[in-house]
Amino acid sequence: MHPDKEGINRIVDILIEKGVKKFIISPGSRNAPLIKAFTNHPQAECYSVIDERSAAYFAMGIALKEQNPVAIICTSGTAVLNYAPAIAEAYYQQIPLIAITADRPEEMIDQREGQAIRQANIYHNYIKASCQFPQEPYDANRLWHGDRMVSEMINKAKQQPCGPIHINVPLREPLYNDGDYKEKNHKIIHTVTTKKSLSEETINELAKQWNAFDKKMILTGVLHPDKELDNTLSNIAQDKSVAVLTERLSNLSIGNYHHNIDRLLNAIPTSEKHKYAPQLLITIGTDVVSKQIKQFLRTHKPDQHWHIDISGNHTDTYKSLTHIIPVTPKTFFTQIVDKITPSKIDYYNMWNTLNDIEKHNTFLQNAPWSDFKVFGKLLPQIPANSVIHLGNSTPVRYAMLFEERKDVEWYANRGTSGIDGIISTAAGFASASKKINTVISGDVSFFYDSNALWNKHLPNNLKIIVINNQGGSIFRIIPGPASTGQLEDYFQTKQELNIKKMAEVFDLNYYFCDEKDNFNDVIKKVYQPHNKAVVLEIRTSGELNDIVLKNYFDNIKQL
Ligand SMILES: Cc1ncc(C[n+]2csc(CCOP(=O)(O)OP(=O)(O)O)c2C)c(N)n1
């Protein structure tokens, strides 16, 4: 039965009519009218996920896959705060997420009522828009106001750059009464889609400037897979005075790109670094993972830096920003491609000659069992036409040292680089995907987000690979932590927890692999069809990883 609160039924109707299909609901009483309204709507696809932190990341994973808003619904109090990490991540990743939080009536806030905190605009730093739904009792004006705000919130979530929005809903008792449902009683406001492009005059001027430079670098951050963009960029990359430096998370593979930024940067002889500096730097996408390219570009500054970003945000990562070009990268490259002329400098090859693949392969072959070795063996074995979710910390970095896989999609929570929702995000994505989804996580990140497994919707196409190096291996790699004398206890947080027992608690398939096992046989088993999600623990020695990685970078240096 539907709730007796018309305003609530209208929220659901507007969401459905505006194309939101999936609703992730966490339990509670204050949100009972919302639960009734969503679960009784024939077109609403509802999921029950208990832990709000995990539920929000799970929803974000679905929204990322479907490129369509997903709504999360929870009760009042700290439940609302538990959405915050995923909301911040969705904000920086520009993912449309709709948080609908039940609240006490406004006059009861700060009155020592249970489960009541100040919820209005609670995510204010990390939200595209938020609204306070009108109080009950609903009259014609309040219903009109509610309808208008819900439409506006959804429109804003979907408007590029997309992002999270918040609807806070004060609710009065009684919460469980049934009522009549008046179909199509609501009002809808549509926004029409627009396509921003540059005027002929502007693009001609930019092309003139472009053509005056000999060395052009296009550096790509996180991008959603987009074949059209990839094709257009591959045409631009045919000009040898252009070097396109991409990361795994850029999901670009068609053209002559340079896929291993850190490998190449480490190979440049120190005295030659300045020769590799671009004159024109063009950046697209959101976050770039490689710290080394950031340092390189901040030291060897380009004459001009154009950032192509529809939001118009002034993101000056390399401290050399000269132009903001507020259109999509696809629009920009499509408009400029026929206007650019090649120059004499073969900037592409300058970078390409740094790539000594034989040296890389020989090192990998001879490397001892370590995270580096595991990534080198694992990445080529992940099935074609599948999706890989990389954990923050070292997985996202190791993956960029090895050969690009053109046949997979790559994702990671690089919006805020938290380790707290990696498994939940991958689980949500996988639940909406027909492909095999592999998440590669460190052991600390796995335990942090272990409530991701506390989810009855965990799909059987999800393979969770935990690199168990007994703590945060990154802290042995980055300079600093070891000098404190507290490395193991307060940075690495050395741990010996039992991953097998964790898999058992949630009744999941479990496999194990270390140096003694036949790696290929174990991987084969993991990727056989299973009726439940799979956890694979790969054990390495936490103590060796930093040494192997340092040796690798020393080894590839061209003297
Ligand atoms: C929510 C959150 N808390 C703390 C951190 C800081 N942090 C970055 S990496 C890391 C350790 C991760 O360890 P693990 O997942 O085992 O990966 P490994 O370093 O072994 O690759 C921590 C605590 C963070 N990024 N996010």
Side-chain angles (χ1 to χ4, degrees), residues 20 36 42 103 111 126 150 171 192 213 223 264 266 283 322 327 360 376 387 390 456 505 559:
V20 184
K36 285 176 69 160
D103 200 354
Q111 302 309 308
Y126 314 104
V150 173
L171 284 155
V192 297
F213 292 117
L223 290 161
L264 303 186
N266 272 280
T283 51
T322 54
V327 292
H360 168 88
V387 181
L390 296 167
K456 64 182 180 185
V505 165
L559 300 169

Side-chain angles (χ1 to χ4, degrees), residues 37-181:
F38 279 108
T39 53
N40 281 297
H41 197 293
Q43 282 154 270
E45 204 178 311
C46 295
Y47 296 69
S48 166
V49 181
I50 299 162
D51 174 341
E52 288 86 4
R53 181 199 51 78
S54 176
Y57 275 116
F58 184 81
M60 194 191 79
I62 302 176
L64 177 62
K65 165 70 183 85
E66 298 188 338
Q67 298 285 291
N68 195 50
V70 173
I72 44 182
I73 294 104
C74 74
T75 189
S76 61
T78 54
V80 177
L81 285 170
N82 275 291
Y83 279 167
I87 288 190
E89 181 64 29
Y91 183 75
Y92 285 107
Q93 272 202 59
Q94 303 173 346
I95 300 174
L97 191 62
I98 296 177
I100 304 174
T101 56
D103 200 354
R104 307 268 149 173
E106 277 169 350
E107 70 277 7
M108 297 314 292
I109 304 305
D110 287 339
Q111 302 309 308
R112 298 274 168 219
E113 269 279 282
Q115 234 176 292
I117 63 171
R118 294 168 212 156
Q119 290 180 201
N121 206 13
I122 196 165
Y123 312 115
H124 66 277
N125 270 335
Y126 314 104
I127 202 88
K128 265 195 89 179
S130 60
C131 73
Q132 181 76 357
F133 198 75
Q135 289 255 28
E136 298 170 76
Y138 302 124
D139 60 15
N141 264 331
R142 286 181 181 176
L143 289 171
W144 162 79
H145 187 197
D147 285 0
R148 195 196 75 203
M149 286 194 294
V150 173
S151 260
E152 185 181 345
M153 290 298 114
I154 304 165
N155 291 346
K156 284 191 170 157
K158 287 163 84 164
Q159 217 163 40
Q160 278 202 347
C162 300
I165 62 92
H166 176 207
I167 303 170
N168 190 48
V169 188
L171 284 155
R172 275 183 209 291
E173 293 171 25
L175 300 166
Y176 291 90
N177 284 357
D178 294 334
D180 289 336
Y181 171 61

Side-chain angles (χ1 to χ4, degrees), residues 57 371 392-395 398 416-422 441-446 448 467 469-475 491-493 495 545:
Y57 275 116
D371 287 4
N392 277 317
S393 200
T394 62
Y398 276 117
T416 61
S417 303
I419 57 165
D420 50 347
I422 293 158
S441 161
D443 52 300
V444 174
S445 309
F446 171 76
Y448 200 126
I467 312 291
N469 49 32
Q470 305 91 56
S473 176
I474 187 115
F475 295 110
F491 291 91
Q492 184 187 356
T493 52
Q495 59 175 11
N545 290 325

Side-chain angles (χ1 to χ4, degrees), residues 40 137 146 250 302 307 331 368 392 417 440 501 509 511:
N40 281 297
S250 308
H307 183 52
T331 303
N392 277 317
S417 303
I440 309 175
K501 283 191 180 153
N509 298 293
Y511 295 94

Side-chain angles (χ1 to χ4, degrees), residues 284-297:
I284 61 171
T286 55
D287 302 68
V288 165
V289 176
S290 168
K291 208 169 177 170
Q292 297 199 37
I293 191 73
K294 289 178 192 165
Q295 277 162 355
F296 174 80
L297 289 168

